Amino acid sequence: MDEKSRAKFESCVSQMLEILGEDPKRDGLAKTPGRVAKAYEFLTSGYELDPKEILNDALFESSNNEMVLIKDIEFYSLCEHHLLPIIGRAHVAYIPNKKVVGLSKIPRMVNIFARRLQIQEQLTEQIASAIQEVIHPLGVGVVLQARHMCMEMRGVQKINSTTTTSALRGLFISRNDTRKEFFDLINSPKTFGF
């Protein structure tokens, strides 16, 4: 965010505080517009990065043709409808087709998509599509489980309700045993003391 944009953002936050009946100049709120601008700049930093570039950066030849799964990838996003937090975990798997990607790149890609204004359904699809387009695997499976503060803090106010979304491609659709293995693995208890 450049200086002009930051000043405009901070002015909007000050106006919002005034509309809510607050004094944006009082001690506890005097620096709030700047803090909010900095926070939103971080929380939406995914717009500045290309997730496909992250994946392309670490592709390696491999003869592996068995499922690669990274589960319990924590993510935080903002609901595009209310600008309230989405807090969740992603489970991402693919079946290599002559190439694998560096393991750290998948959580990084998840974070890039999550650090945008989102709906969970679209976030799930974006992750699966990026892996399909860049790695060209035999199959992709993505499951996101998340809590939405727009449901918990307002609206229906249902605390701890979880939303689950999935996106499946290739062998995860056409082979029941592959799909079953994926869901069994993501639902299995944690091991190795993690």
Side-chain angles (χ1 to χ4, degrees):
M1 195 180 305
D2 61 30
E3 280 187 46
K4 185 177 178 182
S5 297
R6 181 180 290 271
K8 189 174 180 181
F9 193 101
E10 289 180 21
S11 175
C12 289
V13 173
S14 291
Q15 289 176 36
M16 180 184 71
L17 291 170
E18 286 176 356
I19 291 166
L20 292 173
E22 278 288 355
D23 174 8
K25 293 181 179 144
R26 77 172 169 83
D27 191 39
L29 292 176
K31 294 184 180 179
T32 295
R35 289 184 188 113
V36 172
K38 189 174 181 181
Y40 271 84
E41 187 172 13
F42 173 74
L43 293 171
T44 60
S45 60
Y47 291 115
E48 304 296 320
L49 300 168
D50 182 353
K52 293 176 187 173
E53 195 173 287
I54 296 294
L55 293 175
N56 267 317
D57 190 42
L59 283 177
F60 306 102
E61 298 277 332
S62 177
S63 60
N64 179 39
N65 63 359
E66 296 294 328
M67 188 182 306
V68 176
L69 167 66
I70 301 175
K71 72 181 215 174
D72 295 322
I73 303 166
E74 293 179 351
F75 71 88
Y76 302 88
S77 192
L78 290 174
C79 159
E80 68 182 34
H81 300 140
H82 303 97
L83 302 183
L84 290 172
I86 300 169
I87 303 164
R89 293 181 185 269
H91 313 288
V92 180
Y94 71 97
I95 299 173
N97 181 19
K98 300 180 184 170
K99 291 198 182 282
V100 294
V101 67
L103 293 176
S104 70
K105 302 305 180 183
I106 289 178
R108 286 182 186 174
M109 181 221 22
V110 169
N111 280 340
I112 290 170
F113 282 124
R115 296 281 185 213
R116 300 173 180 187
L117 301 180
Q118 282 287 10
I119 61 171
Q120 183 176 332
E121 299 88 339
Q122 187 63 29
L123 177 58
T124 310
E125 287 294 324
Q126 289 170 336
I127 294 166
S129 293
I131 292 171
Q132 188 66 46
E133 289 173 30
V134 174
I135 304 173
H136 303 289
L138 299 174
V140 178
V142 177
V143 169
L144 269 56
Q145 299 167 313
R147 293 175 55 198
H148 293 250
M149 295 307 108
C150 59
M151 281 180 49
E152 293 190 28
M153 296 172 67
R154 55 160 302 284
V156 295
Q157 298 178 40
K158 296 302 175 195
I159 308 301
N160 294 320
S161 59
T162 303
T163 300
T164 302
T165 51
S166 65
L168 305 174
R169 308 278 192 275
L171 294 180
F172 288 85
I173 295 173
S174 64
R175 291 188 50 179
N176 288 334
D177 58 333
T178 302
R179 183 174 40 252
K180 182 180 181 328
E181 178 186 1
F182 174 54
F183 284 104
D184 286 349
L185 286 170
I186 66 172
N187 291 314
S188 67
K190 293 183 179 187
T191 56
F192 305 112
F194 300 131

